[in-house]
């Protein structure tokens, strides 16, 4: 609703926890955001006669169900699904197909992953201490 919020130069639109957003009943709002961004980019192109900057949309979800597939179909162009299976590595596929993966993704050996279980009220201080 903020008039000064201009998305015409938006490069990345990240929809994290998309399954949870839909489960909580925010499908209409998510679709509204996607539509709003597309319209602003188109208006900029029409007004300036130059192409708006390229945008990439990421739709992240722990589960793939019919709602997520429908949202992906509406919001993504040439989607690539990356299945982050720890045993097999991450496999990119085009659309709904699981065949013909172009390449295999793997976690780099030098990447060290850690986690700490803490109380909610001290999450931020623990994160800052961990990062330092």
């Amino acid at each position: 609703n903020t008039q000064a919020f201009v998305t015409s130069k938006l490069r990345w639109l990240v929809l994290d926890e998309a399954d949870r957003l839909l489960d909580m009943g925010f499908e209409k709002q998510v679709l509204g955001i996607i539509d709003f961004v597309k319209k602003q980019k188109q208006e900029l192109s029409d007004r300036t006669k130059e192409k708006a900057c390229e945008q990439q949309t990421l739709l992240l979800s722990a589960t793939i169900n019919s709602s997520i597939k429908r949202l992906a179909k509406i919001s993504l162009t040439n989607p690539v699904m990356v299945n982050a299976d720890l045993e097999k590595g991450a496999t990119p596929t085009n659309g709904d197909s699981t065949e013909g993966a172009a390449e295999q993704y793997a976690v780099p050996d030098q990447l060290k992953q850690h986690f700490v279980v803490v109380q909610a009220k001290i999450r931020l201080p623990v994160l800052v201490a961990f990062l330092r």
Side-chain angles (χ1 to χ4, degrees), residues 7-11 41 44-45 51-55:
T7 61
S8 58
K9 296 192 180 199
L10 183 72
R11 300 280 315 241
K41 285 193 169 294
L44 176 70
S45 293
K51 187 178 177 189
C53 67
E54 189 104 9
Q55 175 191 320

Side-chain angles (χ1 to χ4, degrees), residues 36-50:
F36 178 77
V37 169
K38 285 180 184 179
K39 282 181 182 176
Q40 277 212 337
K41 285 193 169 294
Q42 186 60 49
E43 286 173 7
L44 176 70
S45 293
D46 293 346
R47 195 172 54 247
T48 63
K49 303 296 183 210
E50 63 184 57

Side-chain angles (χ1 to χ4, degrees), residues 78-109:
N78 300 323
V80 174
M81 178 189 282
V82 176
N83 179 10
D85 187 334
L86 293 176
E87 292 180 16
K88 300 176 186 173
T91 306
T93 60
N94 290 329
D96 294 332
S97 172
T98 57
E99 300 173 12
E103 59 185 299
Q104 188 84 3
Y105 293 120
V107 176
D109 291 332

